[in-house]
């Protein structure tokens, strides 16, 4: 944000950590709709505080687990910027890319809004992130600057037995007419209980365009909370592609506000769970003004005893006429013990609004399996092909080859392209 | 090459095939005609290996016991089923599907995978055969295809799979005149001394193009009459009335022309 009062800038600079304000934070319970399927006992076990010491250059054991994206990269390990693993050389003109801790020191006004307490925000984990997430990434793309190469933000939680859950922040601002792609990859190491609490605040000025990809693949023992807050100004375009794949409890929480006429938010995602995973999508898109467009298209593939949650809201403020909003949630259950909870929430306080929503839950199509097998494709491979086909709609729309390949590999499908 | 002996098929306690015998020689094209509900599609699915049927009898393809095999093993043994209702598979690229299918069958037979270049050549020839453009391969399998496109895609697959025995289940249904001509000419050009076909149809029009070697009439789960292609003409003129609700003994006197070879 370009505007900040000295008071909030001071707040940003203040060395806050858990303890001083934590009493004011009230944890959610099962009665909170947005946290209904969360593992509350495990969430209560997470501790928050100053980040652990940097692991230095010791191998983290995540080699080969992140997509190989050429170019600029900020890597954060256990809540601290890691200069050894980052690459900030040769920044193109018009791009500022620096560790969040540096931005707090040098650009307090530009990060003030990220740290400003919101009295309307009851979410305890957002508050904890605000208090403890003092490092991460700061991205600013100048007016009219269009970046070709994607920027990679990597967050790694090493899950040390006595360490606190990591909190990391990203502050992303695209000035008027700017465009770029940002990939956030969330990984973890270790085999013990742990957690990470990530939060990105994104502002798009008029006519800006951002493609924002989230790849969440932390180990199945860890809790992973991702919160993404977006403000989209007039004629700007926010395009989100999210892959919620890892964690015991993987939570992906978008709050997108369309604040200028002609703004567009296009959110799509895939959650794929097995074992005892719970993968929770909490999506809120708010149409504040007239003539904005939003799309939510989320797909779930749930195996074993995994649980998928889609809680998707479209809120249309009074006066936001001409709103065009669609939402879909399609789920594939691969096991009789897998479960999905899908809930559309439409709150429409304007006239002349076009809102559509739909949800499906199904199993693999027996006819399609038979068809593939009759062509010689073995049963297991036929199943994989159908699952990949279900995921393809989300995967195919990724323009970054390395990310598409990573997702296909991670889902065990290999590439499904014709030229594979 | 295909021998069907006393094949019965039931689904949900209802018997549909009631002791069917059929013998098909190398390179022969046999048409199976019959009224609705006579068991034509059940015969096709019983041969292709669809789950859900209780089967008895014996079916061998080139000596292999077909009923013991999974659908994919039957494909590897050389069987190809052309579906009456080809299944839409959104998200699965047609080209990728075809290559996967061909390579699965090759692998099962102990052959190497086909190279991308050789496959492309094969696919181009197959496209020409059914008069489709290259972008046909870049779409998802049958998803959003018109009825005619779906049937052409079946023949395209047959051209790529090069089966020993093709079972074409009402491949002519829902086609306009032009599409029927394309499908028929595609099937004709895939005929050869090492490929046999069972063509299941309601109508004579496809058979006018194909001139099958034998025509069988399937009524109530049994083949009640077999003949040469003139039998199809007879059916077109007189319908199935001669064969329905009569015992086999009541069938008008027609010369049986060696279908049970």
């Amino acid at each position: 944000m370009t505007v900040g009062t000295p008071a909030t800038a001071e707040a940003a600079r203040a060395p806050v950590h858990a303890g001083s304000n934590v009493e004011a934070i009230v944890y959610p319970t099962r009665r909170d709709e947005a946290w209904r399927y969360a593992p509350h006992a495990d969430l209560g076990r997470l501790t928050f505080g100053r980040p652990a010491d940097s692991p230095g250059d010791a191998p983290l054991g995540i080699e080969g687990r992140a997509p190989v994206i050429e170019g600029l990269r900020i890597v954060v390990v256990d809540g601290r910027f890691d200069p050894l693993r980052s690459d900030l050389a040769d920044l193109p003109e018009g791009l500022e890319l620096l560790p969040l801790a540096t931005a707090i020191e040098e650009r307090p006004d530009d990060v003030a809004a990220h740290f400003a307490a919101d009295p309307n925000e009851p979410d305890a984990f957002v508050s904890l992130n605000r208090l403890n997430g003092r490092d991460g990434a700061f991205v600013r793309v100048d007016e009219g600057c269009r970046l070709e190469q994607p920027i990679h933000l990597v967050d790694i939680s090493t899950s040390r037995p006595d360490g606190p859950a990591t909190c990391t922040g990203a502050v992303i601002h695209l000035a008027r007419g700017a465009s770029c792609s940002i990939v956030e990859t969330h990984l973890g190491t270790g085999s013990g209980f742990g957690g990470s609490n990530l939060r990105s605040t994104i502002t798009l000025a008029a006519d800006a365009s951002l493609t924002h990809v989230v790849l969440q693949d932390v180990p199945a023992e860890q809790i992973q909370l991702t919160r993404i807050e977006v403000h989209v100004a007039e004629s700007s375009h926010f395009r989100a592609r999210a892959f919620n794949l890892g964690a015991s409890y993987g939570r992906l929480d978008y709050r997108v506000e369309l604040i200028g006429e002609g703004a567009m938010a296009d959110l799509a995602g895939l959650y794929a769970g097995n074992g005892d995973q719970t993968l929770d999508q909490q999506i809120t898109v708010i149409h504040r003004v007239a003539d904005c467009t939003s799309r939510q298209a989320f797909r779930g593939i749930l195996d074993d005893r995994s649980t998928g949650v889609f809680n998707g809201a479209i809120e249309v403020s009074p006066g936001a006429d001409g709103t065009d909003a669609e939402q879909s949630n399609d789920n594939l259950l691969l096991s009789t013990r897998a479960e999905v909870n899908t809930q559309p929430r439409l709150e429409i306080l304007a006239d002349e609004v076009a809102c559509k929503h739909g949800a499906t839950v199904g199993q693999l199509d027996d006819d399609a399996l038979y068809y593939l097998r009759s062509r010689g494709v073995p049963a297991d491979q036929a199943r994989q092909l159908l699952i990949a086909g279900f995921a393809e709609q989300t995967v195919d729309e990724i323009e970054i080859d390395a990310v598409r390949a990573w997702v296909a590999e991670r889902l065990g499908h290999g590439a499904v392209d014709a030229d594979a | 090459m295909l021998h069907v002996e006393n094949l019965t098929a039931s689904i949900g306690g209802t018997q549909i095939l009631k002791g069917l015998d059929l013998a098909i020689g190398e390179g022969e094209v046999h048409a199976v005609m019959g009224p609705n509900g006579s068991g034509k599609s059940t015969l096709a699915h019983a041969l292709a290996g669809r789950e859900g049927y209780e089967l008895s009898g014996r079916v061998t393809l080139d000596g292999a016991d077909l009923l013991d095999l999974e659908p994919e093993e039957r494909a590897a043994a050389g069987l190809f089923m052309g579906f009456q209702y080809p299944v839409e598979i959104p998200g699965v690229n047609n080209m990728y599907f075809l290559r996967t299918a061909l390579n699965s069958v090759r692998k099962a037979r102990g052959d190497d995978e086909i190279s991308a270049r050789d496959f492309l050549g094969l696919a181009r020839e197959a496209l020409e055969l059914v008069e489709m453009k290259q972008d046909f391969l870049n779409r998802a399998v049958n998803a959003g295809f018109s009825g005619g496109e779906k049937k052409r895609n079946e023949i395209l697959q047959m051209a790529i799979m090069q089966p020993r025995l093709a079972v074409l289940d009402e491949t002519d249904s829902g086609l306009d005149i032009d599409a029927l001509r394309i499908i028929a000419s595609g099937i004709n050009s895939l005929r050869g001394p090492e490929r046999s076909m069972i063509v299941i149809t309601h109508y004579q029009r496809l058979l006018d193009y194909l001139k099958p070697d034998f025509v069988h009439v399937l009524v109530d789960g049994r083949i009640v009459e077999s003949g040469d292609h003139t039998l199809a003409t007879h059916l077109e003129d007189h319908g199935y009335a001669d064969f329905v609700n009569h015992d086999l003994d009541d069938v008008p006197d027609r010369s049986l022309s060696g279908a049970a070879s």
Side-chain angles (χ1 to χ4, degrees), chain A residues 35-54:
Chain A
W35 291 89
R36 191 162 159 198
Y37 300 97
H40 294 274
D42 285 343
L43 285 170
R45 284 169 63 202
L46 290 176
T47 59
F48 290 90
R50 282 177 184 284
D53 293 333
S54 166

